Amino acid sequence: MKLLSWINKINKTNSNTIDNPMLQVHQSVQDSFNSLINENVKGLLKSNGFKKKALTFYKQGNELVYVINFQRSQGNSSEQVKFYVNCGIYSAHIDKTIDKSELNEPKEYECHYRVRISRLVNSKEDGYKIDKSTDIKSLVLKLSDDLGVVLKHFEKYTTTSDLINLMIDYNSLNYYLFDYLILSGNKTQLKKQIQKIYDLWSSESRWIRIKNDLNNRLKEHKMNTTIEEIIEK
């Protein structure tokens, strides 16, 4: 079931029905959170190729693994549950190249690209909350819409090369990526990363340290060049 049909199904649901555990008014806020994940989110993401493990959903592509994680706030109580949605994309090829263990089900924090859903949907609110005043049906619709943005975002990136370009654009100062591009011999994207780092950081006080770190890594990999020379080529 794709996103639009899933939202239409929710819209047809009467907010007072007991058929949907998500909409039972006598539930605790924790029960409502659990139902949100197990009755609504699980169905939507499963219909789009994801598998669930605890509060994390995985989708295996040809080259990449897509991850959506639901993180409870540490400040939750019996009166309120706040949670965040963390998204990531992982490439086993990157880890293999830099001699790290390849992962079939990476944690969100082990992904090479990480972003919170609030950034993708341009929301001022960093997370979602459930308390006794929450309109659960509205929350389900809002979360479904936001997850739809995530799914469309993931669809743009299908290869390790796509992921590398995303990493350079999103967080260029990434030493794992720098090592990978050196070891894989990808000079074009290595230059792109160095240029992006230079554009972002060369006017900052920490630039000297960053430049020295990068040049030292080039030496460690026995590359007879500097980042200055790479930029000038």
Side-chain angles (χ1 to χ4, degrees):
M1 184 185 300
K2 299 303 180 182
L3 179 65
L4 182 59
S5 59
W6 181 260
I7 291 176
N8 288 338
K9 178 182 177 183
I10 295 171
N11 277 324
K12 292 177 182 177
T13 305
N14 186 308
S15 61
N16 296 317
T17 182
I18 62 173
D19 292 333
N20 186 344
M22 217 17 250
L23 305 174
Q24 292 183 38
V25 295
H26 66 270
Q27 289 190 120
S28 70
V29 291
Q30 185 59 57
D31 286 340
S32 292
F33 171 77
N34 291 338
S35 293
L36 175 68
I37 301 300
N38 294 318
E39 301 296 328
N40 297 99
V41 170
K42 182 179 178 180
L44 172 59
L45 294 182
K46 184 178 179 181
S47 70
N48 283 276
F50 286 80
K51 295 182 179 179
K52 181 178 180 293
K53 185 174 183 180
L55 291 177
T56 301
F57 294 81
Y58 300 93
K59 181 177 181 179
Q60 181 70 55
N62 291 331
E63 294 186 27
L64 306 176
V65 180
Y66 307 92
V67 179
I68 300 176
N69 165 259
F70 290 78
Q71 174 191 353
R72 294 187 185 93
S73 170
Q74 293 184 347
N76 285 340
S77 68
S78 61
E79 301 298 321
Q80 176 181 287
V81 170
K82 184 173 182 180
F83 64 95
Y84 311 94
V85 183
N86 307 309
C87 311
I89 304 177
Y90 170 85
S91 167
H93 180 68
I94 292 178
D95 275 357
K96 182 179 180 180
T97 302
I98 63 176
D99 201 27
K100 289 186 65 179
S101 298
E102 300 171 58
L103 305 172
N104 292 321
E105 294 181 341
K107 305 294 186 185
E108 179 272 333
Y109 58 80
E110 295 171 319
C111 288
H112 299 108
Y113 165 73
R114 301 169 61 197
V115 64
R116 189 158 274 181
I117 196 172
S118 55
R119 177 163 180 168
L120 294 179
V121 301
N122 297 314
S123 174
K124 295 180 180 179
E125 297 294 330
D126 198 27
Y128 307 83
K129 71 176 182 178
I130 300 174
D131 58 29
K132 291 185 178 179
S133 67
T134 300
D135 182 334
I136 295 298
K137 186 174 180 180
S138 295
L139 175 61
V140 171
L141 288 169
K142 167 62 175 168
L143 184 55
S144 296
D145 281 341
D146 291 353
L147 287 171
V149 173
V150 175
L151 296 177
K152 290 180 181 178
H153 181 65
F154 282 168
E155 288 174 357
K156 299 176 185 177
Y157 310 101
T158 59
T159 67
T160 297
S161 181
D162 292 339
L163 174 58
I164 290 167
N165 285 322
L166 174 62
M167 293 169 68
I168 292 173
D169 291 339
Y170 181 74
N171 180 24
S172 58
L173 190 56
N174 183 312
Y175 291 123
Y176 283 127
L177 176 59
F178 191 73
D179 289 343
Y180 167 78
L181 294 175
I182 293 171
L183 292 169
S184 64
N186 193 329
K187 295 181 180 180
T188 299
Q189 287 179 310
L190 177 63
K191 181 176 180 178
K192 180 181 177 181
Q193 182 190 17
I194 292 172
Q195 185 67 59
K196 185 68 178 288
I197 293 172
Y198 178 84
D199 292 344
L200 289 174
W201 297 101
S202 61
S203 62
E204 301 290 331
S205 59
R206 62 185 289 195
W207 168 244
I208 297 299
R209 181 173 65 81
I210 293 171
K211 180 181 70 172
N212 290 338
D213 286 345
L214 296 175
N215 280 329
N216 286 334
R217 295 180 99 87
L218 289 171
K219 289 180 182 178
E220 290 173 6
H221 292 293
K222 304 186 186 306
M223 290 191 69
N224 187 28
T225 188
T226 65
I227 63 169
E228 294 89 346
E229 292 171 343
I230 292 174
I231 290 173
E232 291 173 358
K233 289 180 180 179

